[in-house]
Amino acid sequence: LEAMAYQIAKEIGQGATVLKGNVDAIILTGGISHSNAFIELIKDRISFISLVMVYPGEEEMLSLCQGALRVLSGMEKGEIY
């Protein structure tokens, strides 16, 4: 978990650099956000950048499902990465 939190904090820092430090808030969400210990590992590294808001949720699977349905129904074009 420490390595994952380190990588997430690094990505947030990169984004803050591109925005020239003009960051209104950093929002952490997803199922992993239910873990206070994990969130604290990230907050310890990024809280100096901006306000950190946490919205725990587990909508990732629903979002993936809805995206797949849009592609299958022809509403969106699928991408190959």
Side-chain angles (χ1 to χ4, degrees):
L1 285 179
E2 287 184 27
M4 184 174 168
Y6 171 82
Q7 188 63 39
I8 291 169
K10 201 163 70 167
E11 294 293 330
I12 291 168
Q14 288 176 348
T17 301
V18 171
L19 295 171
K20 300 178 183 177
N22 188 15
V23 180
D24 295 327
I26 299 166
I27 301 173
L28 303 174
T29 189
I32 195 78
S33 295
H34 286 288
S35 170
N36 290 332
F38 183 72
I39 293 300
E40 287 305 314
L41 288 172
I42 298 172
K43 277 180 151 182
D44 286 345
R45 296 180 182 274
I46 64 165
S47 61
F48 73 95
I49 297 171
S50 182
L51 168 69
V52 178
M53 302 166 66
V54 181
Y55 292 96
E58 299 175 17
E59 303 296 326
E60 297 97 340
M61 297 310 288
L62 177 61
S63 295
L64 288 170
C65 177
Q66 289 173 338
L69 287 173
R70 287 191 303 274
V71 171
L72 292 173
S73 68
M75 294 174 64
E76 290 183 19
K77 183 179 179 261
E79 299 290 333
I80 298 174
Y81 296 98

